[in-house]
Amino acid sequence: MLHDFRFAFRQLVKARAFTTAAVIVLALGIGVNTAIFSLVNALLLQPPHYPHAEEVVQVFSQDKKNPKTFRGFSYPTYLDIRERNSVFSGVMAHNLAMVGLGAKGSTRRAFTDVVSSNYCSVMGVMPLQGRAFTAEEETPGRGAQVAVVSYNYWKKN
């Protein structure tokens, strides 16, 4: 067996172009598979990092004209659902949005999650520093300029 390994090694040394190509293809294949598995594992297989994640549900409104289409609620409808809730332990609202962040004349786009003031209490999480939103800051037209930023964004800026 040792003789076979020596022979294989000598053949690989002789054909350096083939050996280099084989090593590169194997490295790329292993790297891509690792990256895809890590992404699938993080997004689909691992539970979210907040308490009682198995109890969280999303509620949508069904379009009457096209029953296969669902959409979110308007803010007044959300308030009505939150006030009349007798089923859930808490009701909060969120909406993914793209905003422009800027400082000193430069602006860049960032994804945000616009949330209701009770987001932290319903999700069972609290900010590491500072405070969560107040009910007054949630009022439409108030113009409150308040944000809760991620730890990574806070460290960068």
Side-chain angles (χ1 to χ4, degrees):
M1 181 113 159
L2 186 59
H3 178 56
D4 291 337
F5 281 122
R6 286 182 188 161
F7 176 73
F9 185 73
R10 281 195 310 269
Q11 293 300 324
L12 288 173
V13 169
K14 279 185 190 177
R16 289 190 182 175
F18 170 78
T19 303
T20 303
V23 167
I24 289 172
V25 167
L26 282 172
L28 286 173
I30 292 169
V32 168
N33 278 314
T34 302
I36 290 173
F37 176 76
S38 297
L39 188 65
V40 168
N41 186 41
L43 295 177
L44 301 176
L45 303 178
Q46 292 295 319
H49 298 289
Y50 47 84
H52 307 293
E54 69 281 357
E55 296 176 5
V56 175
V57 296
Q58 285 187 313
V59 181
F60 295 95
S61 172
Q62 187 176 24
D63 190 350
K64 290 184 179 182
K65 292 179 183 176
N66 186 0
K68 293 181 182 180
T69 305
F70 296 90
R71 61 177 179 247
F73 297 103
S74 66
Y75 184 74
T77 303
Y78 153 71
L79 288 177
D80 192 39
I81 292 170
R82 183 171 78 178
E83 290 169 10
R84 296 174 189 230
N85 172 41
S86 62
V87 177
F88 304 111
S89 60
V91 177
M92 62 93 177
H94 80 101
N95 185 37
L96 242 63
M98 180 77 79
V99 297
L101 294 176
K104 300 178 184 170
S106 68
T107 304
R108 64 183 177 90
R109 290 182 178 180
F111 283 106
T112 62
D113 202 5
V114 179
V115 298
S116 57
S117 61
N118 63 342
Y119 178 83
C120 291
S121 62
V122 171
M123 296 303 286
V125 296
M126 290 308 292
L128 188 63
Q129 287 188 346
R131 63 174 177 81
F133 301 114
T134 64
E136 293 85 31
E137 293 165 342
E138 179 182 328
T139 307
R142 182 143 167 27
Q145 296 182 356
V146 181
V148 175
V149 298
S150 70
Y151 181 79
N152 289 335
Y153 182 84
W154 174 68
K155 280 301 214 185
K156 247 192 263 184
N157 299 306

